[in-house]
Every structure is written in structure tokens, then in C-alpha cells.
């Protein structure tokens, strides 16, 4: 019987979990009134991220504003929450 290297996500370090998200979609909630959904290309120890095919959702006085960006460099200091595989706000 062969043993598989299955890692329980609850036993992973945060940066290990983010590393497993490289190449997949990720939903990011910022400290400001913005949320982003894009494909994670890479990150560093400060959780600065490079994303491609990004949709930015911003709450304004006129309602929700949506912007499409080809590629961005995101400062990790402004990130509040990361949702692997998330597709962004729905309401």
C-alpha cells in the first residue's frame, strides 16, 4: 500500500497555502472599499502579489464600479482577506 503525501490545509503555514494558489483564481478583500479577483502569478514574503486577468470591484457613492486590469502588482500591506478560488462579490 503506497502512502500519499496528502497535507491537511489546517496544518500548513499561511505562505504555504498561498504558494499552492499560484496559477489559480483568488479573491482578495482590501482594507479599503475594494475587492479584487484575479489569477495569482507570484508573491513574496510580505505578501506583495502579482495578479493577471484582474477584475476590481469598488464600492462608490454611485454603487459598485467594476474595472478590468490585465496585470497588477498588489501591496501586501493593504490586504485584509484572501479567498483561494473565490469569484468575488455577488450582491
Amino acid at each position: 500500500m503506497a502512502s500519499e503525501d496528502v497535507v491537511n490545509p489546517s496544518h500548513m503555514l499561511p505562505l504555504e497555502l498561498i504558494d499552492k494558489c499560484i496559477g489559480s483564481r483568488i479573491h482578495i478583500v482590501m482594507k479599503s472599499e475594494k475587492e479584487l479577483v484575479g489569477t495569482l502569478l507570484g508573491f513574496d514574503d510580505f505578501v506583495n502579489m502579482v495578479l493577471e486577468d484582474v477584475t476590481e470591484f469598488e464600492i462608490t457613492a454611485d454603487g459598485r464600479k467594476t474595472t478590468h486590469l490585465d496585470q497588477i502588482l498588489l501591496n501586501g500591506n493593504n490586504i485584509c482577506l484572501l479567498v483561494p478560488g473565490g469569484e468575488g462579490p455577488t450582491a
Side-chain angles (χ1 to χ4, degrees), residues 12-20 43-47:
M12 297 174 79
L13 295 172
L15 292 179
E16 289 176 316
L17 182 59
I18 297 170
D19 188 55
K20 292 209 174 281
F43 69 99
D44 64 9
D45 289 342
F46 301 103
V47 194

Side-chain angles (χ1 to χ4, degrees), residues 31-52:
K31 291 180 181 177
S32 64
E33 298 292 324
K34 293 183 181 182
E35 296 183 34
L36 301 145
V37 176
T39 302
L40 179 62
L41 295 182
F43 69 99
D44 64 9
D45 289 342
F46 301 103
V47 194
N48 298 314
M49 298 182 159
V50 177
L51 302 167
E52 73 176 357

Side-chain angles (χ1 to χ4, degrees), residues 7-90:
V7 178
N8 184 345
S10 65
H11 295 135
M12 297 174 79
L13 295 172
L15 292 179
E16 289 176 316
L17 182 59
I18 297 170
D19 188 55
K20 292 209 174 281
C21 295
I22 290 178
S24 62
R25 301 291 284 173
I26 190 164
H27 175 197
I28 301 169
V29 178
M30 305 298 289
K31 291 180 181 177
S32 64
E33 298 292 324
K34 293 183 181 182
E35 296 183 34
L36 301 145
V37 176
T39 302
L40 179 62
L41 295 182
F43 69 99
D44 64 9
D45 289 342
F46 301 103
V47 194
N48 298 314
M49 298 182 159
V50 177
L51 302 167
E52 73 176 357
D53 190 26
V54 179
T55 303
E56 178 184 67
F57 303 93
E58 183 175 10
I59 305 297
T60 65
D62 299 328
R64 185 180 313 166
K65 177 183 169 190
T66 304
T67 307
H68 181 76
L69 306 164
D70 291 331
Q71 195 173 66
I72 63 168
L73 173 61
L74 189 62
N75 186 327
N77 284 333
N78 299 318
I79 295 173
C80 182
L81 177 72
L82 299 172
V83 182
E87 287 302 318
T90 56

